[in-house]
C-alpha cells in the first residue's frame, strides 16, 4: 500500500511541477484521489508526516531572530488578528445557524466561537513551504509572516494545554534550565563535522532534546523542536545544520500533505459546508492586510504577507478533533473543516506562485504610506557612490565583494535581506545595506543608480536571481550583469533574460581550485 501511495504522490507532484504549480498541490490531490480509491493513511505515513512537521519547526528555530518576536507588528499584530478573526467568524457562523444550516443548528455560541478560533489560524507548514519555494524566507514580508505564525503556534500551545486539561508537571520547570545546556550543545556542534553525524545530531536535537523532552513533561512536542532550534540559532553553523536537514524535511513533508487527503472521507454535506467556510477566507485575508498596512508597511509587503497566510491551518483539525471527542462538534463539521483546510491549500498555492503578477495588477489601485511614515524595513534605499552592487552576501557574494573591492575601492556595495547578516558584514568592514532584491519595488526605491557599472546576482536560490533579473530588465540597465546558478538549465534561463555572464558554482569552484594549484606548483 505504501508503495502505491508513494508512486501516485510522485506522478501527481511531478505533473503539478510541469504545470508551473507547487508540487504540494499535487500531493494534496493525490491524497484525495487515493482516499476515493479506498486507500487510507498508514502508520508509516502518519509517523513521517509528524517527523516532517517537527523538523520544519526545528529549522525555523535555527533561522529565527528571537528579538523579532518582540516587535509590535509581530506580537500585537498576531494577537489583534486572532481576536478580530475569531469574533468576526463567530458572527458569520451565527448567521449560518440563523439561515437554517443544519450542521450548526445544535451548536451554541461557545461551540461556534471554538470553531471560529480554530479557523483564525494560518498553516505554518504551508506558509514556510511556499516561502522556501520562492526563495523569500528572509524577505521583509517573509519574516513578518513567520513571526505571526510563531505567535499563533504559542497561542495554540496555550489552548491545547487548557483544552486537554493536561497541566505540565512540576518537572516542566526544568525546561527553564535549557539555556544552561547551550555551551555543551554548541561544543558538540563544533565537533559534529559536516556529514552524516551533523544530520544525526540535528535529528537528536529536534526529536529527542526538543520534541521528546517537552512531551515527557506534558508540553507540546513541536514547541520543543522550535525552542531547541531557537537555542541553537546563535551558533555560526546553525545555517549549515538547517541545510543538512533540507532534503530530509522536504521528503517527510510530502507525507504531511498526503496525510491530509488520506485521513478524511469527504461527504457532500461536508463539501458544501467547507465551501461556505471558504467564503470566510477573504475576510481573514482582509484583516491581515489591514493590520499590516496599519503598521505602515508598503503595499507589496502587506499583500505578500497576507497571501502567505491566506489559508486555514491544520490546527483547525486538532481543535475539531478535541471538540468532537468532547461531544460538542458533529462529525459533519469536523469533516467540513478537514476539507476546508485542504481546499484552502489548493486555493492559496497558485496565489503564492503568481503573487508578483497579483501585485502588479493590484498596485495601481493601492497606495503606499507617505515615504517619511513607511516602516523602517521598507524605507527608500540609497546606493551612494557604488559602481558595483552585489545582490546576496552569502559566501559567494562575500568572496566576490572582497575581490572586487581592490579594483573598485569604496565603490562596491552589498545588498542582503537578513538584518543579522548585514550587521556581521558591517562589523567586518564591508559596505552592506539591508534589502530584498526580489522585490519588484526594490529598484524603484533606489535613489541613485545611474552610476552603476556592474550588478552581481549572487543569491543561492536561482529563482530569486531570475526574479531580480526581471526587475533589472525593467530598468533598462545599461551596465553588465553577472549571475550564479547551480544547474545548466538555470544558466540558460539566466542568459536568455540578458545576463552577460552566468557561472555554474560547482564547475567554477573546480576550475578555480585547479587554477590555484597550477599557480602554486609553478
Amino acid at each position: 500500500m505504501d508503495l502505491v501511495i508513494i508512486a501516485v504522490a510522485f506522478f501527481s507532484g511531478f505533473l503539478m511541477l510541469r504545470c508551473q504549480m507547487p508540487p504540494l498541490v499535487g500531493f494534496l490531490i493525490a491524497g484525495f484521489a487515493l482516499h476515493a480509491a479506498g486507500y487510507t493513511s498508514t502508520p508509516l505515513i502518519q509517523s513521517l508526516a509528524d517527523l516532517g512537521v517537527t523538523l520544519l519547526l526545528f529549522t525555523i528555530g535555527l533561522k529565527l531572530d528571537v528579538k523579532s518576536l518582540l516587535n509590535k507588528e509581530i506580537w500585537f499584530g498576531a494577537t489583534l488578528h486572532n481576536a478580530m478573526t475569531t469574533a468576526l467568524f463567530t458572527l458569520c457562523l451565527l448567521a449560518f445557524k440563523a439561515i437554517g444550516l443544519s450542521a450548526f443548528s445544535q451548536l451554541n455560541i461557545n461551540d461556534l466561537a471554538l470553531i471560529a478560533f480554530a479557523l483564525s489560524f494560518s498553516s505554518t507548514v504551508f506558509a514556510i513551504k511556499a516561502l522556501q519555494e520562492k526563495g523569500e524566507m528572509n524577505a521583509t514580508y517573509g519574516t513578518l509572516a513567520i513571526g505571526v505564525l510563531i505567535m499563533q503556534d504559542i497561542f495554540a500551545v496555550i489552548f491545547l494545554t487548557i483544552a486537554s486539561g493536561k497541566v505540565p508537571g512540576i518537572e516542566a520547570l526544568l525546561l527553564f534550565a535549557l539555556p544552561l545546556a547551550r555551551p555543551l550543545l554548541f561544543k558538540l556542534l563544533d565537533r559534529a563535522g559536516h556529514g552524516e553525524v551533523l544530520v544525526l545530531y540535528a535529528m537528536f536535537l529536534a526529536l529527542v532534546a526538543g520534541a521528546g523532552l517537552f512531551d515527557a513533561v506534558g508540553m507540546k512536542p513541536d514547541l520543543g523542536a522550535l525552542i531547541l532550534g531557537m537555542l541553537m540559532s546563535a551558533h555560526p553553523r546553525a545555517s549549515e545544520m538547517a541545510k543538512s536537514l533540507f532534503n530530509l524535511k522536504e521528503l517527510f513533508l510530502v507525507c504531511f500533505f498526503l496525510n491530509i487527503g488520506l485521513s478524511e472521507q469527504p461527504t457532500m454535506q461536508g463539501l458544501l459546508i467547507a465551501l461556505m467556510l471558504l467564503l470566510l477566507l477573504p475576510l481573514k485575508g482582509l484583516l491581515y492586510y489591514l493590520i499590516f498596512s496599519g503598521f505602515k508597511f508598503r503595499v507589496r509587503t502587506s499583500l505578500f504577507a497576507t497571501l502567505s497566510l491566506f489559508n486555514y491551518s491544520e490546527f483547525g483539525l486538532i481543535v475539531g478533533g478535541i471538540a468532537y471527542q468532547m461531544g460538542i462538534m458533529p462529525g459533519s463539521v469536523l469533516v467540513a473543516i478537514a476539507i476546508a483546510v485542504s481546499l484552502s491549500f489548493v486555493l492559496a498555492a497558485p496565489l503564492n506562485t503568481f503573487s508578483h503578477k497579483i501585485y502588479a495588477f493590484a498596485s495601481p489601485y493601492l497606495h503606499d504610506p507617505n515615504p517619511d511614515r513607511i516602516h523602517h524595513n521598507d524605507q527608500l534605499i540609497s546606493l551612494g557612490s557604488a559602481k558595483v552592487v552585489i545582490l546576496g552576501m552569502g559566501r559567494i557574494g562575500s568572496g566576490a565583494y572582497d575581490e572586487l573591492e581592490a579594483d573598485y575601492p569604496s565603490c562596491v556595495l552589498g545588498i542582503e535581506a537578513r538584518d543579522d547578516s548585514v550587521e556581521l558584514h558591517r562589523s567586518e568592514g564591508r559596505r552592506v545595506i539591508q534589502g530584498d532584491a526580489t522585490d519588484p519595488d526594490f529598484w524603484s526605491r533606489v535613489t541613485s543608480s545611474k552610476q552603476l557599472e556592474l550588478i552581481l546576482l549572487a543569491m543561492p536560490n536561482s529563482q530569486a536571481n531570475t526574479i531580480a533579473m526581471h526587475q533589472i530588465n525593467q530598468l533598462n540597465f545599461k551596465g553588465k550583469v553577472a549571475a550564479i546558478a547551480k544547474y545548466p538549465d538555470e544558466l540558460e534561463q539566466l542568459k536568455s533574460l540578458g545576463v552577460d555572464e552566468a557561472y555554474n558554482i560547482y564547475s567554477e569552484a573546480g576550475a578555480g581550485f585547479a587554477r590555484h594549484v597550477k599557480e602554486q606548483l609553478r
Side-chain angles (χ1 to χ4, degrees):
M1 179 181 290
D2 290 328
L3 297 179
V4 174
I5 292 175
I6 292 172
V8 173
F10 166 72
F11 285 109
S12 184
F14 181 79
L15 180 61
M16 289 297 105
L17 185 65
R18 300 306 300 169
C19 294
Q20 305 298 314
M21 294 283 287
L24 67 87
V25 176
F27 304 145
L28 286 167
I29 294 174
F32 283 120
L34 287 165
H35 198 293
Y39 289 86
T40 57
S41 183
T42 67
L44 176 61
I45 296 293
Q46 180 64 56
S47 297
L48 293 179
D50 292 340
L51 282 174
V53 173
T54 302
L55 292 180
L56 174 70
L57 291 174
F58 177 69
T59 55
I60 291 172
L62 287 174
K63 300 178 181 180
L64 181 67
D65 179 7
V66 180
K67 294 183 293 184
S68 66
L69 298 181
L70 301 178
N71 295 334
K72 184 181 293 186
E73 61 268 20
I74 300 296
W75 69 266
F76 184 67
T79 304
L80 183 62
H81 183 271
N82 186 265
M84 293 178 66
T85 304
T86 300
L88 183 59
F89 279 15
T90 301
L91 293 176
C92 293
L93 294 176
L94 282 171
F96 291 166
K97 178 179 179 179
I99 63 176
L101 198 62
S102 59
F104 300 106
S105 60
Q106 302 301 317
L107 302 180
N108 58 40
I109 189 170
N110 291 331
D111 301 335
L112 295 176
L114 179 62
I115 298 173
F117 177 73
L119 296 175
S120 69
F121 287 76
S122 296
S123 172
T124 300
V125 177
F126 179 91
I128 300 299
K129 190 77 167 59
L131 288 167
Q132 287 178 336
E133 288 180 353
K134 293 194 295 182
E136 298 182 357
M137 282 279 291
N138 296 322
T140 301
Y141 84 90
T143 57
L144 179 62
I146 291 170
V148 169
L149 288 167
I150 290 174
M151 289 302 304
Q152 290 184 353
D153 284 342
I154 294 173
F155 299 156
V157 170
I158 295 173
F159 170 81
L160 291 175
T161 301
I162 296 174
S164 64
K166 185 180 178 182
V167 179
I170 189 67
E171 62 272 17
L173 295 176
L174 295 174
L175 297 178
F176 288 102
L178 276 176
L180 300 178
R182 188 159 67 169
L184 174 61
L185 298 177
F186 276 21
K187 287 182 179 180
L188 290 174
L189 180 52
D190 288 333
R191 293 166 172 77
H194 302 279
E196 64 273 15
V197 175
L198 176 62
V199 178
L200 192 59
Y201 182 48
M203 297 283 285
F204 166 78
L205 290 173
L207 304 180
V208 180
L213 180 60
F214 272 60
D215 185 53
V217 298
M219 299 289 287
K220 194 169 182 284
D222 293 342
L223 179 65
L226 175 67
I227 289 179
L228 257 293
M230 293 165 62
L231 201 64
M232 301 297 293
S233 63
H235 194 283
R237 296 185 62 195
S239 178
E240 181 186 353
M241 177 178 279
K243 291 177 182 177
S244 72
L245 287 175
F246 182 79
N247 289 330
L248 197 62
K249 175 198 64 175
E250 293 294 289
L251 179 61
F252 291 160
L253 286 176
V254 171
C255 297
F256 171 83
F257 291 108
L258 271 174
N259 199 51
I260 291 178
L262 287 167
S263 299
E264 299 294 336
Q265 175 62 53
T267 63
M268 184 55 66
Q269 183 187 29
L271 178 60
L272 293 175
I273 298 173
L275 291 176
M276 296 191 72
L277 294 179
L278 280 182
L279 294 177
L280 305 181
L281 199 52
L283 297 177
K284 179 178 181 178
L286 179 62
L287 287 176
Y288 273 128
Y289 182 83
L290 293 176
I291 289 172
F292 296 148
S293 297
F295 285 106
K296 304 304 179 184
F297 284 101
R298 293 179 300 114
V299 168
R300 189 261 186 185
T301 301
S302 299
L303 180 62
F304 279 24
T306 296
L307 292 177
S308 298
L309 302 170
F310 193 78
N311 52 66
Y312 290 130
S313 172
E314 58 279 358
F315 173 69
L317 301 179
I318 299 173
V319 173
I322 293 174
Y324 179 74
Q325 294 171 4
M326 296 171 62
I328 61 176
M329 179 183 292
S332 58
V333 176
L334 178 59
V335 171
I337 292 177
I339 298 173
V341 170
S342 302
L343 292 179
S344 74
F345 289 175
V346 175
L347 176 63
L351 291 178
N352 280 272
T353 300
F354 302 111
S355 56
H356 291 277
K357 293 183 178 179
I358 294 173
Y359 170 72
F361 172 80
S363 57
Y365 307 100
L366 302 170
H367 302 287
D368 289 329
N370 292 330
D372 57 337
R373 301 185 63 191
I374 292 178
H375 193 277
H376 65 87
N377 287 338
D378 274 353
Q379 290 290 328
L380 296 176
I381 299 171
S382 174
L383 301 184
S385 59
K387 294 182 179 180
V388 178
V389 166
I390 302 173
L391 307 180
M393 288 295 292
R395 284 174 291 184
I396 294 176
S398 300
Y401 183 104
D402 294 340
E403 185 71 20
L404 289 168
E405 179 66 19
D407 298 323
Y408 297 88
S410 302
C411 292
V412 181
L413 179 68
I415 308 292
E416 172 59 40
R418 294 181 56 181
D419 288 328
D420 56 344
S421 181
V422 171
E423 293 302 322
L424 177 62
H425 284 297
R426 287 176 177 173
S427 68
E428 294 176 350
R430 300 187 183 97
R431 294 178 60 232
V432 179
I433 61 174
Q434 193 276 334
D436 176 13
T438 65
D439 186 343
D441 284 343
F442 178 82
W443 296 107
S444 65
R445 292 189 293 125
V446 170
T447 58
S448 54
S449 62
K450 294 182 180 180
Q451 78 284 0
L452 285 181
E453 299 177 7
L454 174 63
I455 297 175
L456 273 64
L457 303 177
M459 291 173 285
N461 184 280
S462 179
Q463 185 180 11
N465 288 329
T466 301
I467 294 172
M469 190 59 200
H470 279 294
Q471 310 309 318
I472 294 171
N473 285 336
Q474 294 179 9
L475 294 173
N476 295 317
F477 177 62
K478 303 302 182 182
K480 300 294 184 179
V481 180
I484 61 170
K486 297 179 181 178
Y487 306 104
D489 60 322
E490 295 175 350
L491 290 176
E492 294 302 319
Q493 183 181 20
L494 287 166
K495 288 182 178 179
S496 69
L497 291 173
V499 170
D500 297 287
E501 293 291 341
Y503 299 91
N504 185 306
I505 58 177
Y506 297 135
S507 63
E508 290 297 324
F513 174 61
R515 285 194 297 269
H516 175 75
V517 170
K518 288 191 296 183
E519 291 174 359
Q520 294 298 317
L521 296 180
R522 282 175 182 171

